[in-house]
Amino acid sequence: MVNHTRLIVFTDLQGTLLDQTSHSQHSSLPALRKLQALKMPVVLCSRQTRAEVDPLWRELAHEEPYIFENGGAICFMPGRAPFEDESADAEGKLKIIELGSRIGALRGGLAEVARRLNIRVRSFAEMNAKDAAEFTGLTRQQAQAAALREYDLFWFEEPGDP
């Protein structure tokens, strides 16, 4: 009897595929290469921005979709997703399916809440790279990529909305 079960591996990056301390993928490469040889798809999932995940995805020579910004969007090569979504936006040669809300709208809502409560809120994107790096422990380059957040999964509703 032939087993036609197809497995897909979903992996987080931080502390899973990437080393917790060095943030390197080198110790995971043998397992990744074996999965690739077995033609077993590996889908990268991360809280990081597309600007942070995309270089790793390209370095690993992945063709499977990757999920970024905590599920805010999925990036994939046309023809490589298990479905083709005609609403997906083309980004160069990649397509993106947006699942979350655009960060600009959320920041606007947050600013309005802060104004109403008379509090000061400083978003990560408002920090310069030096301050963001010091605050988070990231390098300046990593902080700049992290500031390129595009999506989040929160939304604001007007009173009375269902």
Side-chain angles (χ1 to χ4, degrees):
M1 175 181 260
V2 177
N3 183 352
H4 293 286
T5 302
R6 179 157 165 121
L7 299 176
I8 300 173
V9 175
F10 290 84
T11 182
D12 187 25
L13 297 183
Q14 298 74 24
T16 305
L17 183 78
L18 303 178
D19 181 79
Q20 184 72 25
T21 307
S22 69
H23 306 287
S24 169
Q25 73 277 11
H26 295 296
S27 61
S28 300
L29 286 178
L32 284 173
R33 297 302 176 227
K34 179 154 185 144
L35 292 170
Q36 286 177 327
L38 294 170
K39 305 236 183 275
M40 188 173 297
V42 176
V43 178
L44 306 179
C45 305
S46 181
R47 65 171 166 72
Q48 293 181 313
T49 65
R50 180 168 34 136
E52 294 170 288
V53 178
D54 194 74
L56 174 65
W57 180 78
R58 292 178 189 282
E59 182 180 333
L60 294 173
H62 259 48
E63 293 185 355
E64 289 82 17
Y66 65 87
I67 301 166
F68 59 102
E69 298 187 17
N70 292 324
I74 303 170
C75 196
F76 63 96
M77 295 174 63
R80 292 293 301 177
F83 55 88
E84 285 296 325
D85 184 341
E86 293 183 20
S87 68
D89 294 324
E91 283 282 328
K93 294 183 179 183
L94 299 175
K95 295 187 95 174
I96 294 176
I97 297 174
E98 297 178 330
L99 303 174
S101 299
R102 284 283 183 165
I103 198 74
L106 298 173
R107 285 188 183 131
L110 180 60
E112 176 60 21
V113 168
R115 185 190 64 74
R116 288 182 188 181
L117 296 174
N118 197 29
I119 60 173
R120 179 161 166 17
V121 175
R122 184 176 178 201
S123 75
F124 188 83
E126 293 172 312
M127 295 182 187
N128 63 40
K130 179 182 177 284
D131 290 346
E134 288 175 6
F135 182 74
T136 62
L138 299 171
T139 67
R140 282 189 186 192
Q141 183 178 9
Q142 291 168 328
Q144 287 171 326
L148 297 175
R149 180 162 294 280
E150 299 172 76
Y151 307 94
D152 214 320
L153 298 177
F154 300 100
W155 60 91
F156 293 91
E157 295 180 359
E158 293 294 323
D161 283 352

